[in-house]
Amino acid sequence: MQCKLALMFWADEIAAEIEERFADKIAKKEPLIIRDEKTLSGRVHIGSIEGIVIHGLVAQVLSEKGIANEFLFELNEFDPMDGLPVYVDQDEYKKHMGKPLFTVPAPADESAADYPSVFGEELKEVTEPMGLPISFYTLHQLYEAGKFNDVIKEALDNASKIRTIYLEVSGGGKPNDWYPLSVICEKCGKIGTTQVTGWDGNDVTYQCKPGYVEWADGCGNEGKTSPFDGNAKLPWKVDWAAKWKVLGVNVEGCGKDHSASGGSREVAARISEEVFNYPNPFDIPYEWLNIKGKSMSSSKGVGSSAKEIADMLPPKLLKLMMIRKKPNVSFDFDPEGKTIPNLFDEYDRLSDHYFKRHKEPYEAFARTFQLTQISPESKVADNWQMRFSTMIFALQMPHLNLEDEAAKLKGKALTQAEKTDLTNRAHYVKQWIENFAPDEYKYNILDEPPADLELDEDQKNALSKLKDTLSDESLKWEGIEIHECIHKVKEETGIEPKKIFQPLYQIFLGRTSGPQVGWFLSTFDRTEVVGRLGEATK
C-alpha cells in the first residue's frame, strides 16, 4: 500500500528553502551554521526547549539531505544577573545583582562551578536524550579569547549609526552620549550598572552608576579600560548581530516577540547588515509554548521547568510535542489535563501511518513519526504497544497482570522488546496517574451495581439480551468477541449506542465512560459480568 500524497512536513519545507537560499555555499561543500541560545539566568523552562528542537530538527533534516551543517547552541553566561528566581536564597544572591552570570557562585547545595553552569547542565540533561545534533558553547569564553574584538570596535566606531537604527526601527531612541557597550567595573565587578562615556579608538571611559538600573546599584567608580578580551560586552541586540558575524551564522530563528515588526530581530538585522556588513540569517519565527495558557519566565520561576516536563515524558514524546505542529502555531501543555494521554495516543496513531497499519497511510504523519525517533537513521522496530488510555485502567486494577492483559490485547505473547516497551510506558503512566490525572481517569470497581442506577425498558431489554448472550460458555471470553456481542445486541434492539454502553460502565464503575468496553468486561470473570447484568435488569 502506498502512502497518500501529502504536503511536505514543515521541517522538510524549511530545509528546502534553506537549500535554495544557500545553493552556492552548499555547492562549495561549506557547512551551514545554525544557531540558537539561552541565557542561563535560572532554570530552563520547557518553552526554551522549543527553539532547540526546531533548530536541531532542521539540522537533522539537512544532514539527511547530505548538506553539511553545524548546530551551535550558546549557553549565555555573560549577561548580568538582573532578576532573582523564587527558588534561590534572596538575601544571599541579592549582592550579586548586576554581576556577569559567570562570576556568580553556584548555590551551596550544587556541585557546579558557578551559578549558570547549574542550569546549563540541566538543559543538556534534558536535550541530549532527544539525539539532536547540538554543539554547545559558552559566550564569555569567546569574548575572552578576543573573538568579539573586531565587532566591538566596529560597534563603538558606529555608535551614532546604531542609535539611529534603534530609533528608526523601534522608536526607542538612545541618548546622544550612549555607546553600545557595557564594561565590567574594575572595582565592584558589575556589568549591568556601567555606562560607557567615551571611546578613543583603543580604550573606553566608563562610570559604574548608582540608580542606572532598577535591579542593581553601581558603586560610583569611574575608570578607563580596554573594551576587548572579555572586559566588556555588547548590549544584546547589538550582541545578537555580532554573534552572526563572529560565528558565521546562516540560519537562526526566534520567538514571535522578537520577530514582530519593530522588534529585536529587525533591529539586529539592520545592525548586522549596515554596521557589521553581514547578511541577516535565514529566520524561523516560532510561537510560544504555554503551560495552561500562561507564558513563562526563566528568571522569575514562572511555569514548569524543562527538567520537570522531561521527567513526565520519554525523549521521543518530548520531541513529538515540540515538532507536531508548525513552528508558527502556538500550543499549550497541561500536565493535569489530557495533554500527556493524548500525546501518547497521537504517537501510536502516527506509528500506524509509518508502518502502514492505517487503511490510508498519510505521508506527513509517517514522516512526523520518523523524525521523533532518537536515532532516525536506524531501522525503527514495529513493536506492539498497549495504548496509554488502556494502561491507565489496567494499572489501577489489582486483579490484573499488565503483561498478561497486553498479551491478550495483542493476541499472542509479547516479544522481549515489547515487554521492555511495556515496562517503560507503564513508568510514565503510573507517574501521571499518581501526580496529575484528573478524577475522570481514576478508576475504582464497585462492589455491586449502584443503587440509584435508573434504566428504561429499552435498556433493560438490551442488557438482558446481552446477559443471555454472554452466558453462553461457547462464547470465547475475549475483548473482541464481547465487543461484537454488544454491537450485535445494539443492532438487534435498535437501541442508541450510549444507552447500552453507558450502563455497562455504570454497573461496574459508577460512571458513564471508561476503557474499550469489550476488553474492559473481559478482565472480569464471566459469572461476575453475567451476575451484575442480571442484578441491574431486575
Side-chain angles (χ1 to χ4, degrees), residues 21-38:
R21 174 166 168 177
F22 298 102
D24 291 344
K25 189 176 180 68
I26 293 169
K28 296 175 184 176
K29 305 295 184 184
E30 297 175 4
L32 299 179
I33 302 300
I34 303 167
R35 199 196 80 95
D36 193 16
E37 68 173 83
K38 176 61 184 167

Side-chain angles (χ1 to χ4, degrees), residues 1-10 12 57 60-61 64 320 323-324 346-358 360-373 376 378 380:
M1 183 184 298
Q2 297 296 315
C3 280
K4 288 172 63 179
L5 291 176
L7 293 174
M8 294 171 69
F9 182 68
W10 65 260
D12 294 310
L57 192 69
Q60 180 179 315
V61 172
E64 282 183 4
L320 173 61
I323 72 172
R324 56 189 291 272
E346 181 174 356
Y347 178 85
D348 293 339
R349 284 194 297 272
L350 293 174
S351 75
D352 288 340
H353 289 269
Y354 180 80
F355 291 112
K356 298 182 174 61
R357 294 190 293 259
H358 196 279
E360 295 186 39
Y362 192 49
E363 194 173 282
F365 292 170
R367 178 63 168 155
T368 306
F369 177 82
Q370 180 190 25
L371 290 173
T372 63
Q373 305 308 304
S378 62
V380 183

Side-chain angles (χ1 to χ4, degrees), residues 308-358:
E308 290 167 336
I309 302 300
D311 287 344
M312 299 178 199
L313 297 167
K316 286 185 286 191
L317 272 293
L318 181 60
K319 196 174 180 184
L320 173 61
M321 182 173 74
M322 299 296 177
I323 72 172
R324 56 189 291 272
K325 292 187 176 182
K326 290 185 176 183
N328 62 354
V329 178
S330 64
F331 60 100
D332 287 359
F333 180 85
D334 183 2
E336 296 178 347
K338 297 182 180 180
T339 303
I340 291 177
N342 288 348
L343 194 61
F344 274 87
D345 286 346
E346 181 174 356
Y347 178 85
D348 293 339
R349 284 194 297 272
L350 293 174
S351 75
D352 288 340
H353 289 269
Y354 180 80
F355 291 112
K356 298 182 174 61
R357 294 190 293 259
H358 196 279

